[in-house]
Amino acid sequence: MPELRIDALAFGGDAVGRLDGKVVFVPYAAPGDTIEIEIVEERPSYSRARIVRLLEPGEGRREPACSLFGACGGCHWQMVDYALQIASKQAIFKRSMTEAAVERVHAISGAPTELGYRRRCRMHWEVSGGEVQLGYYRRGSRELLDAPVCPLLVQPLQLAVDRVREALKGLGRAKGTVAANADLTGQRAHISVRIDEGEAAAASALTRSLDGSPELAGGQVVHNRRASRFGAEWINLRLSEEDPLWGSAVTFAQANLEQDRLLRRRLEQWAKPLEGARVLELFAGVGNLTRAFASAAAEVVAVESFPACATLLRHNAPDVRVIQGDAVATLKKLAGERFDLVVLDPPREGCAAAAPHIATLAPRTVLYVSCDPMTLARDIRLLAKHGLAPRRAQALDMMPQTYHIEAIAQLGD
Ligand SMILES: C[S@@+](CC[C@H](N)C(=O)[O-])C[C@H]1O[C@@H](n2cnc3c(N)ncnc32)[C@H](O)[C@@H]1O
């Protein structure tokens, strides 16, 4: 069996080393490890391998916090120190931003807590003969892995998931998903349980069982596209009761409350000066970022396609003109208008199709919030071709223990 020394962690989660000059990707290996490997896939430019034996651990290697680590598809890097996770994210981010010719890459901002931070989750469940499995998919598969405890979740979210597990025991044969968002002010959660396979009676039984639970602010049980709602319709996604941001189990929320606050602060700083500015925000969600610039700007137009988000966006940012629709289709309709600032926060796949349309709005500045440095780099290159110079970028760690990298980039002035 060949021996391999691991050089670094890579985007996507695997570690990388070189064997006779050829790149080898190995899951669950840590930088500095010397390992015995078995090649499981050969490609012309790289190979994939698995660890057969750890011969010499790297300096940053540690015991993972979760007993399911290695089987569960949720986490990738629990086996390395948090400082090394952060350094690895910075190296990956810096490389992709440098390749996209970004003038200045700021230091990454690490998360204050590396466990117990996730305030939003989506899990799968299956019940058979009173036995409940509720958890995530196994790594690289669609096979359900029961996860009675997830150390990444904030406590109110874990308690809400426990409550759902209890309620599911009462069902016959059924399977589906559960999505939950935590209300940290109320220390409860909002949940949406979807039954994909199961009797209609299961939906009413489940709704009755969940309604009134102290762990749940409210939510819904969905069967055959029919939703039975209970409790509160919305929850507060902020810690402040004076300045709430309303959301629900099915609307997007940044996974990490503290890092979300930092992201909004950075956006506010980089958006300046806003006095008299016309702002266009694409992929606005329920208005989480919108409020970082809405009060100072002269006019804000916010675009969001998901109806449940657009409804809450109107509520959360009443002075903003909300357009419910697809970002690119809306950009085409806005052709000929002028905006000083364009803010966008697309899903992982980025927004390549938007670049030429954004450029025609002649913005002074574009602020791009991203959860994928690879699509961010691609889109920065596209925007740069249209005269928007990539000025600066910063990564912040929204999701410790995973390879995911959240970032903000500024183009233009
Ligand atoms: C990453 S979230 C960002 C939300 C918000 N900025 C925040 O911080 O909570 C992306 C949002 O884009 C919306 N979205 C996805 N595809 C879209 C599209 N083609 N056009 C407009 N909005 C879209 C999603 O519904 C989601 O609310």
Side-chain angles (χ1 to χ4, degrees):
M1 298 264 175
E3 265 184 34
L4 182 74
R5 193 182 143 81
I6 295 298
D7 299 325
L9 292 169
F11 191 68
D14 290 351
V16 281
R18 276 180 188 271
L19 197 61
D20 303 327
K22 188 174 179 183
V23 168
V24 185
F25 290 100
V26 194
Y28 306 119
D33 279 357
T34 304
I35 50 177
E36 205 174 277
I37 56 165
E38 181 193 8
I39 302 287
V40 292
E41 189 184 341
E42 279 281 11
R43 293 286 177 109
S45 59
Y46 66 89
S47 312
R48 292 194 182 281
R50 66 172 190 90
I51 303 179
V52 175
R53 208 149 53 100
L54 176 60
L55 301 172
E56 178 86 45
E59 252 181 42
R61 183 175 266 283
R62 68 174 183 189
E63 275 306 304
C66 177
S67 60
L68 298 177
F69 181 70
C72 179
C75 287
H76 318 98
W77 289 355
Q78 279 193 29
M79 72 297 175
V80 296
D81 284 346
Y82 188 54
L84 186 51
Q85 292 184 30
I86 287 299
S88 304
K89 289 190 184 192
Q90 177 68 0
I92 293 165
F93 183 67
K94 193 163 184 183
R95 198 175 317 120
S96 62
M97 290 301 99
T98 305
E99 282 167 14
V102 175
E103 275 172 27
R104 180 172 174 206
V105 182
H106 291 246
I108 187 170
S109 176
T113 42
E114 52 164 311
L115 294 170
Y117 65 83
R118 267 200 88 128
R119 55 141 163 185
R120 172 173 179 253
C121 70
R122 186 182 150 83
M123 291 179 170
H124 303 269
W125 57 267
E126 206 169 328
V127 193
S128 181
E131 289 284 310
V132 179
Q133 293 212 83
L134 170 61
Y136 304 101
Y137 284 145
R138 284 180 182 275
R139 183 176 183 276
S141 88
R142 290 267 157 161
E143 195 190 325
L144 177 56
L145 176 76
D146 192 33
V149 176
C150 171
L152 261 49
L153 302 186
V154 292
Q155 187 67 355
L157 205 54
Q158 179 66 60
L159 294 175
V161 173
D162 293 348
R163 181 68 197 90
V164 172
R165 179 183 288 273
E166 224 17 68
L168 289 171
K169 283 184 186 159
L171 303 191
R173 242 184 137 72
K175 66 196 273 188
T177 59
V178 56
N181 250 334
D183 175 343
L184 297 173
T185 322
Q187 293 289 301
R188 294 180 301 175
H190 203 255
I191 59 156
S192 176
V193 185
R194 208 180 67 204
I195 302 175
D196 294 324
E197 283 175 31
E199 304 291 321
S204 37
L206 202 52
T207 312
R208 273 197 307 279
S209 168
L210 294 171
D211 190 5
S213 305
E215 302 85 356
L216 305 178
Q220 60 179 11
V221 176
V222 183
H223 180 266
N224 261 346
R225 296 193 183 175
R226 274 199 50 176
S228 331
R229 299 204 164 81
F230 61 91
E233 196 179 348
W234 302 337
I235 50 160
N236 182 5
L237 299 175
R238 294 272 159 86
L239 278 179
S240 152
E241 290 192 33
E242 292 74 47
D243 186 24
L245 181 83
W246 299 104
S248 78
V250 296
T251 61
F252 179 87
Q254 304 286 355
N256 186 316
L257 185 78
E258 274 111 354
Q259 295 298 85
D260 176 44
R261 196 179 297 134
L262 193 67
L263 171 65
R264 286 184 275 118
R265 203 179 315 135
R266 186 63 74 241
L267 185 72
E268 203 175 342
Q269 287 164 349
W270 289 8
K272 281 178 179 158
L274 278 163
E275 288 67 32
R278 277 199 94 206
V279 183
L280 175 66
E281 185 189 10
L282 305 168
F283 310 96
V286 300
N288 176 48
L289 305 180
T290 319
R291 299 206 316 205
F293 47 79
S295 55
E299 188 193 347
V300 178
V301 178
V303 183
E304 165 61 44
S305 63
F306 183 39
C309 281
T311 302
L312 281 161
L313 175 59
R314 288 194 176 94
H315 196 83
N316 287 326
D319 298 332
V320 164
R321 180 178 150 213
V322 173
I323 300 178
Q324 191 210 311
D326 170 67
V328 175
T330 308
L331 278 167
K332 287 180 184 164
K333 286 186 196 146
L334 293 171
E337 294 203 30
R338 290 278 175 272
F339 287 90
D340 303 291
L341 170 67
V342 175
V343 177
L344 68 160
D345 181 9
R348 212 162 291 290
E349 57 269 28
C351 196
H357 303 288
I358 290 173
T360 62
L361 305 173
R364 161 180 59 79
T365 307
V366 172
L367 291 175
Y368 191 139
V369 176
S370 158
C371 56
D372 185 320
M374 305 305 147
T375 56
L376 173 64
R378 178 202 64 199
D379 293 351
I380 286 177
R381 281 192 213 101
L382 291 171
L383 288 162
K385 276 190 193 151
H386 291 277
L388 286 153
R391 296 286 179 222
R392 53 183 166 173
Q394 184 177 25
L396 33 91
D397 192 18
M398 204 59 98
M399 297 186 62
Q401 318 309 336
T402 76
Y403 71 83
H404 297 296
I405 302 174
E406 190 76 19
I408 177 166
Q410 178 179 1
L411 297 99
D413 293 330

